[in-house]
Amino acid sequence: MQEVINALLDKYAETDIINLETIDILKLEPVNKIGSPMYILNRIFNGRKNFENIIKELENEIYAA
């Protein structure tokens, strides 16, 4: 899970993506090198709801800084 989060943070830093919550973010490099969006959602995050919750926490941390 940490690998995916780090890849999302890298992508955010590179492009200043505003919405990390969209599933489409999982299709972009470097995240897509970890696995398909369905693999990441189901195997790494144990479901879409967990993914959404973790990403919301991550966004809160980013915007609080």
Side-chain angles (χ1 to χ4, degrees):
M1 182 181 317
Q2 191 62 47
E3 182 181 12
V4 175
I5 291 171
N6 289 341
L8 289 171
L9 287 172
D10 288 345
K11 192 65 177 177
Y12 177 82
E14 288 175 11
T15 62
D16 200 29
I17 294 171
I18 295 174
N19 188 0
L20 293 173
E21 294 176 38
T22 179
I23 299 304
D24 291 335
I25 191 78
L26 300 177
K27 296 177 185 176
L28 302 176
E29 285 190 22
V31 183
N32 66 354
K33 293 181 180 182
I34 298 166
S36 71
M38 294 308 294
Y39 175 83
I40 293 170
L41 287 176
N42 295 322
R43 298 290 183 148
I44 296 177
F45 287 94
N46 295 316
R48 185 177 184 146
K49 191 66 175 169
N50 285 336
F51 170 78
E52 290 170 349
N53 290 337
I54 290 169
I55 295 303
K56 283 179 187 175
E57 288 179 32
L58 182 62
E59 285 179 326
N60 289 338
E61 291 296 320
I62 290 170
Y63 298 125

